[in-house]
Amino acid sequence: MDIQVKNFYRTPTGLLAVLLAVAAATTAIAQTTPVAKIAARPLSRDDIAAYKLPSTLELTGGLFTIGVGQPAYLEAQLDIAVPASDIISATWELTTKPSGSKTLLTDSPLTKDVAIYEPSDRLVLQVAGRTLLRPDVTGVYVVTATVATRTGTAKVAQTLIAANYVGIQTCSFCHSGGLADVKVPSWSKTLHSSIFKDNIDGLTGQTSYGSSCWGCHTVGYDTTATAANGGFDDIMTKLGWTPPATTKVGNYDAVPDALKNLANIQCENCHGPGSLHAGSGGDTIAISVSKDSGVCGQCHGAATHHVKSGEWANSRHAVTTRDPSGAGREGCVGCHTQAGFTSKMDAAKAGTTFTAMDTSFNPINCQTCHEPHGQSMPNSSAHLVRTTASVKLADGTTVTKGGTGLLCMNCHQSRQNAATYAATTQGTARFGPHHGPQADMLQGANGFTYGKHFPSSAHKSAVKDTCVTCHMQTVDATDPALTLVGGHTFKPSLAATAKLPAKDLVGACQTCHGEDLTSFDFPLFDYNDDGVIEGVQTEVHHLLDELALLLPPLGKAKTELTIDSTWTQHQLEGGYNWQMVANDGSLGIHNTAYTVALLKASIADLKAK
C-alpha cells in the first residue's frame, strides 16, 4: 500500500487518519499467544564496545520516528517464558511504505549476543529475530514480524515515521507559548541548549572541538551517504562551512544562522525529526515521546567520558519490580515506575492528590529523576533534577534540608508512623516498614522508640546533598571499577569479585572523618558490649544478630524474619526495628547513634519480658 506524503502537509489530520487506519490493521493481525512485540533497539558506544560491533554503526535512541536514511534496528521480542528451543523462526515483511520508496528490509548488523537494551526487559523478554529498516523517503512505514514457535504463532506490526530535521526555529514556533506545551523557554536555560556553543567557544576548556562530538551535540549529524535529511552535516555541506581549527570566544557567533538552527542538543535529538509533525499541523502521533532509557543512553553511554548510562544499567533502579500495579498495589507505581513517579511529582507540584492513572512499566531511569526540558528550574539544580521540594515522612516530620538528596527521599522512606503502627498492628507476612527507609534513618525518625528520645547522628545536617553526596561519588576514568560503583550506580561500595577488590567510596566521608579513613567499617565504640571494639558495621551486625535470636523462632540465627499472627506485640515492635535497620542497608552508616539505640532498646525490651 502506497501513501502520498504530500497530503500530510496539506491536511493537519491526514497523517493521523493514515496511522489510525494502520493501527486498526495492526490490531487485527496481532495474536495474544505467544506474547510478542516489535522494538526499535537503541544503540550506544557502550554497546559497540561491549559486543565488538563495527565502529561505523550509527547510534540511535530507539525511537519510532527516525531520520530519512538512518537506521532502525528492529527486533521481535518474545515472552521469556517461551523456551528458546521452541522458537522456530521470525520472518519480517515491510507491509506499508510511502509512494516512491524503494527501500527493503535487510539483515540487522546486531549479532545474536547483543542483549535487549533495557536491563528490566531482559528479565521478561527475549529476542526472537532482528531486521534493519533504513527509510529512503519521508512517510509512514509499517513492519510486520511473524514469530513461529512450537506452541503457536504471533504476528505483530509496528508503525515507523521517517522525516527530515527542521531545527529549533520550527519547534519554537509552537512550543514557545500559545499553540502547544511551552518547552523552549525553560530548555534554553539548560546546559543541553548551549553544549555546541560552549565547546566551540572554548568555554569547556577544550582547545579543539571536532565532529566526533557532533553526533550528540547537534541535530541529525550523520555523514552516512544515505542520511540526507536536513541534519547538521547536510546543511554544513550545503553552506560550505568549515569549522574553526581552535576554540575561542566568538566562534559560535560566526556560525551561519542555518547551522545554529541545528546546533546544540535540542528537541529532535530526543523526539526524532519533526518535519511531518510540524507539517501536519502538530499531529502528536508523528513525533516520538519515549519513556525508555535509550533516548539518553545514545549519548550518555560512551565510557570512559560519558558513563551515566553505563552506571545506571548496573544499578538496582534499572531493574525495579516489573509488576507494580494490580489490585491493592496501585500505590506502588508512584515509586516503582517512571510514569508513576513523574505523575506523583507533578501532582505534588500542583498541590493535587496523586492517582495512579498510568500503570505502564518503565524502570526508574534518567527521565524519572531528571526533567529534560528544564521545567523544574530554578527551584532545582543545573542537573535538571526533577524536584528538590521538602519531603514529609509518615510521622509528620518535614525534611527541608537535604539538597538534591531530597529527590531520593520521596521514595526511600518507611511509609509507616512507627509509634502507632508497630504498637497496634497485627503480625502478617507484610508487617514492617517499607523496604527503603533510608530517609527516616538519616533523619532519626520512624523507628519504634518505646516512648523514649533517641540520639541522632549529624549526617542529616552536615552533608549538604545528603544521599547524592555519598552515593553518587565520581570514580576516576582509569579505575577498573568505573560504572560498577559510584555515580548513577548509586552504590557507595563494591563487594570483592574475581577481578576486582572490594571498594568503599570514602572520599565524601574523609571531609569530616579524616584522610586516614579507608573503609565504612571503621572502629569507633564497643556498641554490643562484648569487650572488643570492631568496625561500626560489624558492631551493628552483631546487634542485629543478637536481636534476631530474641525473635521467633527463638534462639535461632536468621537473616530475614517470618512474621505472622502468633507474634506478640513486643516481638512485633522489636521485629519492626530489626527490619528498619536491615532494610536501611547501611549497617549504621546513615545514622549510627539512632541505629544502635533502636537495636539496643529492642534487645533490652525483649530480654525484660
Side-chain angles (χ1 to χ4, degrees):
M1 168 168 84
D2 287 340
I3 300 172
Q4 297 297 321
V5 177
K6 61 184 180 181
N7 290 336
F8 298 155
Y9 293 90
R10 233 178 17 219
T11 309
T13 58
L15 179 61
L16 180 60
V18 169
L19 290 179
L20 287 175
V22 171
T26 300
T27 302
I29 63 174
Q31 296 182 7
T32 57
T33 304
V35 177
K37 70 173 185 176
I38 295 175
R41 194 198 190 280
L43 190 70
S44 69
R45 288 291 176 201
D46 285 346
D47 290 323
I48 289 174
Y51 299 112
K52 297 179 173 58
L53 301 173
S55 61
T56 54
L57 288 185
E58 295 148 276
L59 308 184
T60 173
L63 302 177
F64 289 120
T65 306
I66 56 177
V68 171
Q70 293 183 291
Y73 305 110
L74 301 177
E75 58 190 29
Q77 297 178 352
L78 188 66
D79 189 335
I80 203 168
V82 178
S85 58
D86 282 358
I87 301 174
I88 299 171
S89 64
T91 55
W92 296 88
E93 183 182 2
L94 184 56
T95 54
T96 299
K97 60 183 179 180
S99 175
S101 172
K102 296 181 174 59
T103 196
L104 299 172
L105 295 176
T106 58
D107 291 339
S108 173
L110 306 188
T111 56
K112 289 184 178 180
D113 62 329
V114 176
I116 289 174
Y117 188 82
E118 295 283 7
S120 54
D121 285 347
R122 298 171 196 167
L123 302 177
V124 296
L125 297 168
Q126 61 184 312
V127 176
R130 287 190 166 111
T131 192
L132 173 71
L133 171 67
R134 192 181 290 273
D136 55 351
V137 298
T138 61
V140 177
Y141 295 76
V142 179
V143 177
T144 302
T146 303
V147 180
T149 73
R150 297 185 187 280
T151 57
T153 298
K155 192 173 184 181
V156 290
Q158 179 61 53
T159 301
L160 296 95
I161 305 294
N164 293 321
Y165 295 97
V166 294
I168 190 62
Q169 292 178 4
T170 299
C171 300
S172 297
F173 182 77
C174 292
H175 290 284
S176 288
L179 296 176
D181 290 343
V182 181
K183 304 293 186 183
V184 173
S186 58
W187 161 83
S188 66
K189 299 175 184 178
T190 69
L191 295 178
H192 278 167
S193 72
S194 61
I195 187 68
F196 181 87
K197 175 186 180 297
D198 292 345
N199 276 283
I200 204 169
D201 277 352
L203 301 181
T204 59
Q206 297 187 131
T207 57
S208 62
Y209 180 55
S211 59
S212 61
C213 299
W214 296 352
C216 285
H217 292 183
T218 69
V219 172
Y221 186 89
D222 185 343
T223 57
T224 305
T226 58
N229 47 37
F232 187 91
D233 59 303
D234 298 323
I235 304 304
M236 176 179 165
T237 301
K238 180 180 179 180
L239 297 176
W241 180 73
T242 302
T246 59
T247 62
K248 62 180 180 180
V249 174
N251 279 343
Y252 187 74
D253 289 340
V255 174
D257 288 343
L259 269 183
K260 288 180 181 177
N261 179 49
L262 296 160
N264 303 304
I265 299 169
Q266 44 175 281
C267 315
E268 292 170 295
N269 292 79
C270 304
H271 294 287
S275 65
L276 298 190
H277 171 63
S280 63
D283 275 348
T284 56
I285 203 166
I287 202 76
S288 291
V289 179
S290 175
K291 298 174 183 176
D292 296 332
S293 64
V295 176
C296 304
Q298 62 182 320
C299 291
H300 288 285
T304 58
H305 294 84
H306 299 285
V307 298
K308 293 179 174 60
S309 289
E311 292 171 335
W312 172 82
N314 289 320
S315 75
R316 294 186 67 182
H317 281 166
V319 290
T320 46
T321 175
R322 291 231 27 133
D323 184 26
S325 59
R329 304 192 67 191
E330 291 82 358
C332 301
V333 300
C335 281
H336 284 274
T337 71
Q338 187 270 339
F341 183 78
T342 55
S343 296
K344 184 177 179 179
M345 294 302 99
D346 289 343
K349 186 176 181 180
T352 58
T353 302
F354 166 67
T355 303
M357 302 297 291
D358 185 352
T359 58
S360 59
F361 178 82
N362 280 88
I364 306 305
N365 59 16
C366 321
Q367 299 165 63
T368 311
C369 300
H370 300 276
E371 200 295 302
H373 302 101
Q375 296 189 320
S376 57
M377 299 170 68
N379 68 327
S380 187
S381 72
H383 299 289
L384 305 180
V385 174
R386 188 168 288 278
T387 180
T388 55
S390 59
V391 175
K392 191 173 183 179
L393 303 181
D395 66 348
T397 298
T398 299
V399 187
T400 58
K401 294 182 179 180
T404 48
L406 284 165
L407 174 75
C408 314
M409 297 183 198
N410 283 282
C411 289
H412 289 273
Q413 55 174 278
S414 69
R415 290 168 176 71
Q416 304 292 356
N417 183 346
T420 55
Y421 175 87
T424 61
T425 305
Q426 185 178 15
T428 68
R430 298 179 66 86
F431 177 90
H434 189 267
H435 291 291
Q438 289 85 5
D440 304 82
M441 184 63 77
L442 185 66
Q443 297 300 316
N446 278 316
F448 189 75
T449 63
Y450 301 91
K452 301 176 182 178
H453 174 74
F454 284 177
S456 188
S457 300
H459 283 166
K460 64 183 178 183
S461 56
V463 183
K464 178 184 176 182
D465 286 311
T466 53
C467 321
V468 169
T469 298
C470 300
H471 284 262
M472 298 187 69
Q473 295 179 68
T474 300
V475 176
D476 190 88
T478 61
D479 193 324
L482 183 70
T483 75
L484 300 176
V485 67
H488 283 79
T489 69
F490 307 99
K491 299 174 182 177
S493 60
L494 178 68
T497 67
K499 295 182 178 180
L500 294 173
K503 186 182 189 72
D504 284 348
L505 297 183
V506 296
C509 310
Q510 290 173 341
T511 303
C512 295
H513 292 277
E515 294 184 1
D516 291 339
L517 187 71
T518 59
S519 168
F520 295 135
D521 195 22
F522 61 96
L524 198 57
F525 295 107
D526 178 19
Y527 290 115
N528 70 326
D529 302 318
D530 65 353
V532 181
I533 299 178
E534 299 173 283
V536 168
Q537 291 180 309
T538 300
E539 293 278 348
V540 168
H541 208 299
H542 288 330
L543 288 171
L544 273 171
D545 290 343
E546 184 178 352
L547 176 55
L549 294 173
L550 299 172
L551 297 171
L554 300 180
K556 292 188 177 181
K558 50 189 77 74
T559 57
E560 61 181 24
L561 304 182
T562 304
I563 300 176
D564 58 32
S565 60
T566 65
W567 283 45
T568 68
Q569 209 62 52
H570 287 280
Q571 290 170 339
L572 290 170
E573 292 161 0
Y576 184 97
N577 283 345
W578 189 96
Q579 291 176 312
M580 179 85 170
V581 174
N583 292 344
D584 168 66
S586 75
L587 289 175
I589 300 304
H590 288 149
N591 193 333
T592 305
Y594 193 69
T595 298
V596 171
L598 288 176
L599 295 176
K600 296 188 80 168
S602 294
I603 290 169
D605 179 72
L606 288 170
K607 282 184 175 180
K609 300 305 172 188

